[in-house]
Amino acid sequence: MRRNGGDGRRARERGDEGERRVPRPRRPGAGRGRAAHAEVHADAGRGRTARADVERGTAREDGRTALPALLAFLGVVAYSLSMAVLTPAMPLVQRDLHTSAAGAAWGLTAMMLSAAVSTPVVGRLGDLYGPRRVLLVVLVVATAGTVLAAVSPSLGVLLAGRALAGVGGGVFPLAYTVIRNVLPPARTASAVGLMSSMLGLGGALSWCVAGPVIDLLGWRWLLWMPVFGLVPGLLLAWRLVPRVPGRPGAGVDWWGAGLFSAWMVAALTALTQGMAWGWTSPGVLGLAGAALVLAAVWWAVERRVPEPLVDPRLMRVRGVWTANAASLLAGYGLMAGGVLFPLLVQAPRPTGFGGSATAAAMLQLPASVGMTLAGIAAGRLHHRVGSRAVLVAGAVLTGAGYAFVALVHGAMWELYVGGTARGIGLGLAYAAVANLVVAAVEPAQTGVATGVNTLLRTVGGSLGTQVSAVILTASAVRGHPAGTGYTTGFAVTAATMAGVLALALAAPPRRAARPSDASSAPPRRAARP
């Protein structure tokens, strides 16, 4: 019996996988035999619990490490802030670096293209080698790129730094992978909702801080600000994020990654340069045609490789494609407001309010707070009514906010009401689409599936920026957009949120889970090597 007890203790210490056959005890006596049999089963049960804890990623520490693990993703907010923070400073970048408006705009395009290419690849690497290890590398690269951009003496150095910083887009799929494997099921939805809202929160905060920082410190400090979040985020991630095992036996689909990168770069370059080059120019049309051809080739290749970067079968899952399409339109809704609201506040009277950059930034503050709180609340609502219902509510609230300001925007309080409704609605929508994707895929596919979802939000944001700018430019009179341009821009964005509502209704229904059910459910197993 001593030997059997030792085996049970060694099983608990090593967390070995697989069931052990424990020898049946001898029976010197009936009472002693029953006691020995109970002891053996107790040891075996404790061994299985220990093995589950190891596979779960130190599940027994969930209660103590949940908050520190989330705090370690301070880098998530810092990255999302750095993505959009340069937008308000474009005229100053153009002047100080002696470049054209198109050249300064490449400061945004370079980071977006880099993020588009790296996000699904980084998500895949996190699935293969463990998200903590890949997260640390991504944060180091993003921090180095942001510092390089902040000290850049020329446009070329700025673009190189922004391209390196774009690798930080991989923090989102890595964050979702860690959350799914480390936190207990009852907390997963709330954590995913919080992380999802951070993607929009960074963009909203960039407008809040841009005006005061530019006025008081200069535009380069806009690039230093994300560093103040990335460095602590890197240290906290190294110290606090638990190790989650990956799947080292699988490989990376580099052919798929290369083709994916090629058609995404062609498509996004055509999209972002459409206004500068002309939408019917040979360059834009050529890039759009190349993107279509390369996308078709990529799709054909992905259907044939054994371990595709993006599994076409996964993209056909109802819960996945509806959430991805909704993410695209929700990204449009976020960034369209990031263009329309600040420009309307700063537009000269009688079209706008003649306000300062700081006044435009203050308009974004309640929307940013509402977005964060809604992302947190979305997790609780997920357990009560399901993420499909949360997405419906988010789409309705965001669409109502935009429809309201499309009808009336003659007073600042009207912009505050519409903008706050928009922020709360987008917080709910962003959290819901992420939870829908996480729930629809296997744990081993979390990184790449959420990476594609995050990428589509970025593409949608680029569409929102470009289309809104085109609408305002088309309405311009003597160099300034007319009031009808803002009305049309708000109305078009409200229509996109109607599209989100339709996609939410098309998503598969889900039985609302009670927190008690989730907490009593068996823990998910991390992917075995």
Side-chain angles (χ1 to χ4, degrees):
M1 284 309 305
R2 296 289 296 175
R3 183 177 61 189
N4 291 338
D7 287 344
R9 283 189 294 273
R10 284 193 294 272
R12 294 192 299 275
E13 292 170 359
R14 294 194 306 266
D16 294 340
E17 298 182 1
E19 295 295 332
R20 282 185 174 79
R21 298 182 60 186
V22 181
R24 296 182 61 182
R26 296 179 181 177
R27 296 190 49 165
R32 184 177 177 184
R34 284 193 297 270
H37 188 69
E39 179 185 350
V40 170
H41 276 280
D43 280 345
R46 286 191 295 268
R48 285 192 296 270
T49 301
R51 290 193 299 274
D53 287 351
V54 170
E55 292 175 350
R56 178 82 168 108
T58 61
R60 287 190 180 277
E61 298 180 5
D62 284 342
R64 298 193 301 272
T65 63
L67 180 60
L70 291 178
L71 289 176
F73 289 115
L74 180 62
V76 172
V77 183
Y79 166 76
S80 61
L81 175 63
S82 66
M83 174 64 83
V85 78
L86 201 61
T87 305
M90 285 292 100
L92 298 176
V93 173
Q94 179 182 349
R95 183 196 66 190
D96 291 353
L97 297 183
H98 309 289
T99 185
S100 63
W106 271 99
L108 302 175
T109 305
M111 188 170 182
M112 184 181 65
L113 293 177
S114 174
V117 171
S118 62
T119 297
V121 175
V122 168
R124 179 66 168 170
L125 292 174
D127 289 338
L128 297 180
Y129 303 114
R132 180 183 181 273
R133 182 189 308 174
V134 181
L135 175 66
L136 295 178
V137 175
V138 165
L139 288 175
V140 168
V141 174
T143 302
T146 306
V147 171
L148 181 63
V151 300
S152 57
S154 64
L155 178 64
V157 178
L158 175 70
L159 297 183
R162 294 285 288 175
L164 285 174
V167 176
V171 297
F172 287 97
L174 296 173
Y176 295 137
T177 303
V178 171
I179 287 170
R180 186 171 190 178
N181 285 281
V182 171
L183 297 185
R187 298 187 184 184
T188 299
S190 296
V192 167
L194 177 60
M195 287 297 154
S196 300
S197 66
M198 286 180 180
L199 181 59
L201 177 63
L205 284 178
S206 67
W207 287 98
C208 293
V209 303
V213 169
I214 290 174
D215 293 340
L216 298 175
L217 301 173
W219 68 268
R220 289 186 182 274
W221 281 95
L222 290 176
L223 297 173
W224 280 111
M225 290 186 61
V227 177
F228 301 147
L230 286 168
V231 172
L234 172 63
L235 296 176
L236 286 170
W238 173 72
R239 180 68 179 169
L240 298 175
V241 173
R243 287 179 172 84
V244 178
R247 293 191 306 147
V252 179
D253 173 25
W254 292 115
W255 275 107
L259 289 168
F260 180 84
S261 303
W263 78 261
M264 282 300 304
V265 167
L268 290 176
T269 302
L271 177 63
T272 55
Q273 298 303 308
M275 289 189 64
W277 297 351
W279 293 103
T280 58
S281 66
V284 170
L285 295 178
L287 285 170
L292 290 175
V293 172
L294 289 169
V297 174
W298 167 78
W299 187 264
V301 169
E302 293 296 84
R303 294 180 63 184
R304 288 168 174 78
V305 297
E307 291 283 345
L309 176 69
V310 180
D311 192 342
R313 293 168 299 177
L314 179 64
M315 295 300 105
R316 291 197 296 265
V317 174
R318 185 177 165 194
V320 175
W321 74 258
T322 51
N324 284 340
S327 288
L328 181 75
L329 297 181
Y332 182 103
L334 174 68
M335 295 310 296
V339 172
L340 296 169
F341 280 104
L343 291 181
L344 180 58
V345 172
Q346 297 177 78
R349 295 181 182 275
T351 300
F353 298 91
S356 63
T358 301
M362 290 302 100
L363 177 62
Q364 301 289 338
L365 187 58
S368 303
V369 173
M371 184 178 294
T372 304
L373 295 178
I376 298 172
R380 298 190 176 217
L381 293 174
H382 167 85
H383 292 298
R384 293 181 178 273
V385 299
S387 288
R388 180 192 183 195
V390 175
L391 182 56
V392 168
V396 169
L397 193 55
T398 307
Y402 275 116
F404 178 76
V405 292
L407 297 174
V408 289
H409 50 259
M412 282 296 295
W413 71 265
E414 294 167 347
L415 297 186
Y416 273 100
V417 170
T420 302
R422 157 189 170 261
I424 296 173
L426 286 172
L428 293 173
Y430 269 29
V433 292
N435 274 313
L436 286 170
V437 170
V438 169
V441 302
E442 295 296 327
Q445 297 173 314
T446 301
V448 68
T450 54
V452 172
N453 186 259
T454 304
L455 166 64
L456 289 172
R457 296 188 206 181
T458 304
V459 174
S462 179
L463 281 170
T465 301
Q466 294 295 320
V467 173
S468 299
V470 169
I471 292 173
L472 293 180
T473 302
S475 71
V477 178
R478 282 181 265 182
H480 295 288
T484 55
Y486 293 101
T487 299
T488 304
F490 288 131
V492 169
T493 311
T496 64
M497 299 314 297
V500 175
L501 176 60
L503 289 165
L505 295 176
R510 175 184 176 275
R511 182 182 66 86
R514 297 187 301 272
S516 58
D517 294 339
S519 59
S520 61
R524 297 187 188 95
R525 295 194 172 199
R528 294 186 179 184

